[in-house]
PDB file of all heavy atoms in Angstrom:
ATOM      1  N   GLU A 121     -35.704  -1.359  22.575  1.00  0.00           N
ATOM      2  CA  GLU A 121     -35.349  -2.566  23.371  1.00  0.00           C
ATOM      3  C   GLU A 121     -34.927  -3.652  22.375  1.00  0.00           C
ATOM      4  O   GLU A 121     -35.494  -3.787  21.315  1.00  0.00           O
ATOM      5  CB  GLU A 121     -36.577  -3.051  24.124  1.00  0.00           C
ATOM      6  CG  GLU A 121     -36.322  -4.237  25.047  1.00  0.00           C
ATOM      7  CD  GLU A 121     -37.639  -4.639  25.772  1.00  0.00           C
ATOM      8  OE1 GLU A 121     -38.515  -5.285  25.104  1.00  0.00           O
ATOM      9  OE2 GLU A 121     -37.692  -4.406  26.960  1.00  0.00           O
ATOM     10  N   ARG A 203     -26.732 -28.800   6.961  1.00  0.00           N
ATOM     11  CA  ARG A 203     -27.628 -29.833   7.494  1.00  0.00           C
ATOM     12  C   ARG A 203     -27.267 -31.216   7.019  1.00  0.00           C
ATOM     13  O   ARG A 203     -27.254 -32.168   7.825  1.00  0.00           O
ATOM     14  CB  ARG A 203     -29.080 -29.481   7.079  1.00  0.00           C
ATOM     15  CG  ARG A 203     -30.116 -30.562   7.263  1.00  0.00           C
ATOM     16  CD  ARG A 203     -30.373 -30.934   8.690  1.00  0.00           C
ATOM     17  NE  ARG A 203     -31.311 -32.031   8.780  1.00  0.00           N
ATOM     18  CZ  ARG A 203     -30.949 -33.314   8.590  1.00  0.00           C
ATOM     19  NH1 ARG A 203     -29.700 -33.650   8.386  1.00  0.00           N
ATOM     20  NH2 ARG A 203     -31.878 -34.288   8.675  1.00  0.00           N
ATOM     21  N   ASN A 246     -37.214 -27.926  -3.418  1.00  0.00           N
ATOM     22  CA  ASN A 246     -36.355 -26.964  -4.145  1.00  0.00           C
ATOM     23  C   ASN A 246     -36.101 -25.627  -3.406  1.00  0.00           C
ATOM     24  O   ASN A 246     -35.266 -24.883  -3.838  1.00  0.00           O
ATOM     25  CB  ASN A 246     -36.869 -26.615  -5.515  1.00  0.00           C
ATOM     26  CG  ASN A 246     -36.798 -27.737  -6.516  1.00  0.00           C
ATOM     27  OD1 ASN A 246     -37.810 -28.007  -7.204  1.00  0.00           O
ATOM     28  ND2 ASN A 246     -35.692 -28.426  -6.614  1.00  0.00           N
TER      29      ASN A 246
ATOM     30  N   ARG B 116     -40.143 -29.113  -7.940  1.00  0.00           N
ATOM     31  CA  ARG B 116     -40.104 -30.521  -8.130  1.00  0.00           C
ATOM     32  C   ARG B 116     -39.913 -31.205  -6.741  1.00  0.00           C
ATOM     33  O   ARG B 116     -39.499 -30.522  -5.819  1.00  0.00           O
ATOM     34  CB  ARG B 116     -38.914 -30.919  -9.025  1.00  0.00           C
ATOM     35  CG  ARG B 116     -39.083 -30.585 -10.506  1.00  0.00           C
ATOM     36  CD  ARG B 116     -37.854 -30.942 -11.299  1.00  0.00           C
ATOM     37  NE  ARG B 116     -36.632 -30.318 -10.750  1.00  0.00           N
ATOM     38  CZ  ARG B 116     -35.756 -30.942 -10.006  1.00  0.00           C
ATOM     39  NH1 ARG B 116     -35.889 -32.234  -9.673  1.00  0.00           N
ATOM     40  NH2 ARG B 116     -34.713 -30.297  -9.550  1.00  0.00           N
ATOM     41  N   GLU B 121     -37.510 -31.220   4.607  1.00  0.00           N
ATOM     42  CA  GLU B 121     -37.509 -31.388   6.071  1.00  0.00           C
ATOM     43  C   GLU B 121     -38.011 -30.063   6.698  1.00  0.00           C
ATOM     44  O   GLU B 121     -37.644 -28.977   6.223  1.00  0.00           O
ATOM     45  CB  GLU B 121     -36.108 -31.654   6.618  1.00  0.00           C
ATOM     46  CG  GLU B 121     -36.028 -31.881   8.090  1.00  0.00           C
ATOM     47  CD  GLU B 121     -34.598 -32.202   8.545  1.00  0.00           C
ATOM     48  OE1 GLU B 121     -33.758 -31.240   8.604  1.00  0.00           O
ATOM     49  OE2 GLU B 121     -34.278 -33.357   8.799  1.00  0.00           O
ATOM     50  N   ARG B 203     -45.982  -5.837  23.710  1.00  0.00           N
ATOM     51  CA  ARG B 203     -44.848  -5.724  24.640  1.00  0.00           C
ATOM     52  C   ARG B 203     -45.171  -4.724  25.747  1.00  0.00           C
ATOM     53  O   ARG B 203     -44.856  -4.971  26.934  1.00  0.00           O
ATOM     54  CB  ARG B 203     -43.625  -5.365  23.859  1.00  0.00           C
ATOM     55  CG  ARG B 203     -42.412  -4.876  24.671  1.00  0.00           C
ATOM     56  CD  ARG B 203     -41.794  -5.917  25.557  1.00  0.00           C
ATOM     57  NE  ARG B 203     -40.729  -5.367  26.403  1.00  0.00           N
ATOM     58  CZ  ARG B 203     -40.977  -4.646  27.484  1.00  0.00           C
ATOM     59  NH1 ARG B 203     -42.181  -4.453  27.947  1.00  0.00           N
ATOM     60  NH2 ARG B 203     -39.935  -4.156  28.183  1.00  0.00           N
ATOM     61  N   ASN B 246     -37.965   4.154  16.271  1.00  0.00           N
ATOM     62  CA  ASN B 246     -39.074   4.192  15.279  1.00  0.00           C
ATOM     63  C   ASN B 246     -39.297   2.937  14.464  1.00  0.00           C
ATOM     64  O   ASN B 246     -40.344   2.859  13.807  1.00  0.00           O
ATOM     65  CB  ASN B 246     -38.907   5.346  14.255  1.00  0.00           C
ATOM     66  CG  ASN B 246     -38.984   6.740  14.824  1.00  0.00           C
ATOM     67  OD1 ASN B 246     -38.129   7.570  14.519  1.00  0.00           O
ATOM     68  ND2 ASN B 246     -39.979   6.979  15.636  1.00  0.00           N
TER      69      ASN B 246
END
Side-chain angles (χ1 to χ4, degrees):
Chain A
E121 184 180 75
R203 167 66 185 80
N246 294 132
Chain B
R116 286 179 305 101
E121 183 180 76
R203 167 65 184 81
N246 294 132

